[in-house]
Amino acid sequence: MSHTVYTNLIGGQWTPARTGKSFANVNPADSDDVLGDFPSSGAEDVNDAVAAAAEAWKTWRLVPAPKRAEILYRTGEILTQRKEQYAREMTREMGKVLSETRGDVQEAIDTAYYMAGEGRRLFGQTTPSELQSKFAMSVRMPVGVVGMIAPWNFPMAIPSWKLFPALVCGNTCVIKPAEDTPLSTYNLVQALMDAGLPPGVVNIVSGFGPDAGAPLVSHPGVRAISFTGSSEVGRIVGQTAAANFKPCSLEMGGKNAMIVLDDANLDLALDGAVWGAFGTTGQRCTATSRIILHEKIAAEFTKKLVARADALKVGNGLDESVQMGPQVNQQQIETSIRYCEIARKEGAKLLTGGDPLEDGSFDRGHFFAPTVFGDVSAKMRIGQEEVFGPVVSLITCRDFDEALEIANGIEYGLSTALYSRDVNKAFRAMRDLEAGITYVNAPTIGAEVHLPFGGVKKTGNGHREGGTGALDFYTTWKSVYVDYSDKLQRAQIDNA
Ligand code: UN1
């Protein structure tokens, strides 16, 4: 069978990789469904892309921000028109169900409109000078060529979190899509091009981390790096960037806790738990991976959660009746298997699931049963380490103080949720949960694009995507002084 052959995008030209190598993009629900061949690029391809981005930056940085923003508005409109097609292609390459891939495209549309609005803001500060007839202000300047490394779990939304703020701020970009889900990045960039983005402003280098990602991170012409992925790879990216004093935004793992207290609306909490743990097949960095249950409601909640997990319809995400799709590849299945073994050995009790689904309609895909472990204690590895699959751990607590202690007793700090009707406890959760995101009476997933997104501890290195956090990363402050006194005025410190 012949596949569509995709090439890199360099300086506005579709360009085959110099390596001559490629890989197939295969549907994780159906190995017979191949979406196309994508280039497996190397350092020379990265060099070409960075050179094209550097050339394009000379003019792009001078385009007024409101004009740059017009391209983003048009991109939002084009994505809206193509939403269904792009969602279907995303389900085929990534696996998550259609309602979720429509949501992923929607997140890119929301980001387009939000960041387009920034074209008429990008606020700096004006402030008085200590000297007469002198004017002082700070302005946001673009950084230059930015390198971006995207994950596979939000194949269009997360590239849009990176590209759109970078573009409105006046940067040019080289993006390496995730090797599991390159097509959605191509679709996003195609929408930008059709909206009138000039050649070279966004370049795509497709390939694998060690071959294409690593040279992008270390390239001296790349002025900043934005990475979303695992903490292991993030550490390498961060260390490489630090060696060159390169700003680097890292968004990494989570071990997100939902706390359910004895005064919670249990049905609401159940809905939140099922959605948070099994939505996107547990493959969100915000996924609910620990549920901390007050001992008074633990038995009832556990029984109901297991029944809900058992009732989930697993299958090909193109089938509208399916509620949970496959994992993205066999490696992720292996990770789920490994963690289920670890949990069993540690003494956690398998309540449902625990194995891949391989028979009948599952035989051509990477499916795993919705899995619930009970009797998990906070320090077990299954209670500490990220699984990134449909596996959730239940931990019992005596009271709210212990719940907070358990929730915070991990190395990560991305998302957290509290279910309770007690307003005092809700405010304590907002203050005391060590995480970049806290929800009250809502699941750990579902962040909106105009608020900062990111986490503390091993989840990130202090930067934020979304909201004004993104503008802070994609611009650098310049302080400007204008002296209109027509004489040398020394600063206060130099007149002391
Ligand atoms: C991620 O899991 O990597 O908050 C991003 C959410 C989505 C984004 C998740 N809006 O669940």
Side-chain angles (χ1 to χ4, degrees):
M1 209 187 346
S2 72
H3 306 140
T4 309
V5 175
Y6 291 84
T7 53
N8 288 325
L9 179 64
I10 294 178
Q13 301 296 318
W14 295 107
T15 312
R18 289 181 190 258
T19 58
K21 291 195 285 186
S22 68
F23 61 91
N25 181 0
V26 182
N27 184 339
D30 179 359
S31 53
D32 288 347
D33 181 20
V34 178
L35 288 98
D37 286 330
F38 286 79
S40 178
S41 311
E44 289 189 329
D45 302 302
V46 170
N47 288 344
D48 293 345
V50 174
E55 185 59 30
W57 192 57
K58 292 179 187 162
T59 44
W60 181 247
R61 73 185 187 87
L62 301 176
V63 174
K67 292 281 168 213
R68 298 194 293 249
E70 283 173 17
I71 296 173
L72 293 186
Y73 277 122
R74 280 200 292 276
T75 303
E77 282 161 24
I78 291 169
L79 290 172
T80 306
Q81 285 158 14
R82 298 179 189 166
K83 185 170 172 180
E84 191 58 25
Q85 178 204 332
Y86 285 175
R88 283 181 181 274
E89 288 177 348
M90 194 188 299
T91 292
R92 285 174 56 212
E93 71 171 349
M94 190 272 171
K96 61 186 174 183
V97 297
L98 262 181
S99 57
E100 291 192 35
T101 51
R102 289 181 190 123
D104 195 310
V105 179
Q106 185 60 45
E107 193 154 335
I109 295 167
D110 296 341
T111 305
Y113 291 143
Y114 176 81
M115 286 301 166
E118 278 304 327
R120 289 186 184 271
R121 283 189 292 266
L122 287 179
F123 295 136
Q125 297 125 4
T126 61
T127 185
S129 166
E130 61 197 32
L131 298 171
Q132 213 177 55
S133 303
K134 195 170 180 185
F135 185 86
M137 62 184 164
S138 64
V139 290
R140 289 186 182 275
M141 304 295 282
V143 177
V145 177
V146 183
M148 300 165 173
I149 299 177
W152 46 261
N153 66 339
F154 275 80
M156 186 174 284
I158 293 183
S160 83
W161 293 1
K162 299 182 188 309
L163 289 169
F164 293 170
L167 292 173
V168 81
C169 292
N171 303 285
T172 55
C173 310
V174 177
I175 184 164
K176 187 195 91 60
E179 59 269 23
D180 285 297
T181 58
L183 180 56
S184 296
T185 300
Y186 277 69
N187 286 341
L188 182 70
V189 174
Q190 187 64 54
L192 277 164
M193 288 163 66
D194 293 343
L197 193 77
V201 174
V202 171
N203 304 273
I204 306 176
V205 178
S206 150
F208 293 83
D211 308 322
L216 183 60
V217 175
S218 59
H219 196 297
V222 173
R223 304 289 287 274
I225 289 287
S226 176
F227 167 85
T228 303
S230 71
S231 297
E232 290 66 37
V233 177
R235 175 169 284 123
I236 301 169
V237 171
Q239 286 171 346
T240 310
N244 298 300
F245 310 113
K246 204 178 276 192
C248 173
S249 166
L250 304 173
E251 288 298 340
M252 300 172 292
K255 187 72 187 172
N256 311 294
M258 165 194 277
I259 300 172
V260 186
L261 296 182
D262 53 340
D263 68 345
N265 175 342
L266 279 200
D267 289 329
L268 182 70
L270 264 175
D271 285 343
V274 174
W275 175 227
F278 302 120
T280 323
T281 321
Q283 300 173 120
R284 294 197 193 196
C285 46
T286 49
T288 305
S289 151
R290 300 179 294 156
I291 306 180
I292 303 170
L293 297 168
H294 192 283
E295 58 189 9
K296 281 197 197 143
I297 51 88
E300 184 190 349
F301 188 93
T302 301
K303 202 169 108 217
K304 288 185 169 166
L305 179 68
V306 169
R308 292 280 296 268
D310 282 341
L312 284 173
K313 183 170 177 194
V314 182
N316 188 324
L318 290 175
D319 174 346
E320 300 264 7
S321 70
V322 162
Q323 293 164 297
M324 194 181 97
Q327 292 209 253
V328 75
N329 57 35
Q330 190 54 31
Q331 206 183 324
Q332 294 302 125
I333 293 282
E334 304 295 339
T335 306
S336 296
I337 294 173
R338 187 157 43 87
Y339 272 105
C340 287
E341 274 170 22
I342 291 170
R344 283 191 187 115
K345 282 199 190 125
E346 288 177 307
K349 190 167 162 201
L350 180 67
L351 300 174
T352 187
D355 288 307
L357 300 168
E358 286 162 338
D359 299 337
S361 63
F362 297 121
D363 68 343
R364 293 201 306 275
H366 308 296
F367 295 96
F368 202 86
T371 300
V372 182
F373 277 102
D375 291 347
V376 175
S377 68
K379 294 295 166 201
M380 286 180 182
R381 285 183 65 192
I382 193 68
Q384 290 282 321
E385 297 173 23
E386 183 173 54
V387 181
F388 227 68
V391 179
V392 67
S393 294
L394 308 184
I395 306 175
T396 306
C397 68
R398 283 185 311 278
D399 55 24
F400 183 47
D401 285 323
E402 195 192 17
L404 288 175
E405 199 182 310
I406 295 167
N408 290 338
I410 48 159
E411 289 187 305
Y412 294 106
L414 181 55
S415 186
T416 44
L418 172 72
Y419 281 78
S420 168
R421 288 169 166 134
D422 181 333
V423 70
N424 294 354
K425 293 199 174 90
F427 272 85
R428 275 194 61 202
M430 290 180 235
R431 185 191 62 191
D432 295 340
L433 285 170
E434 294 169 6
I437 307 171
T438 293
Y439 292 92
V440 176
N441 293 323
T444 59
I445 64 176
E448 301 177 28
V449 301
H450 53 297
L451 280 83
F453 182 94
V456 299
K457 296 153 98 180
K458 213 172 141 183
T459 293
N461 63 344
H463 296 287
R464 291 290 182 268
E465 301 199 281
T468 52
L471 305 179
D472 292 335
F473 185 70
Y474 292 109
T475 56
T476 171
W477 285 113
K478 176 178 276 189
S479 300
V480 179
Y481 302 89
V482 181
D483 191 321
Y484 55 100
S485 70
D486 220 21
K487 57 180 189 244
L488 172 66
Q489 298 199 86
R490 293 188 186 189
Q492 181 163 286
I493 60 149
D494 296 316
N495 271 329

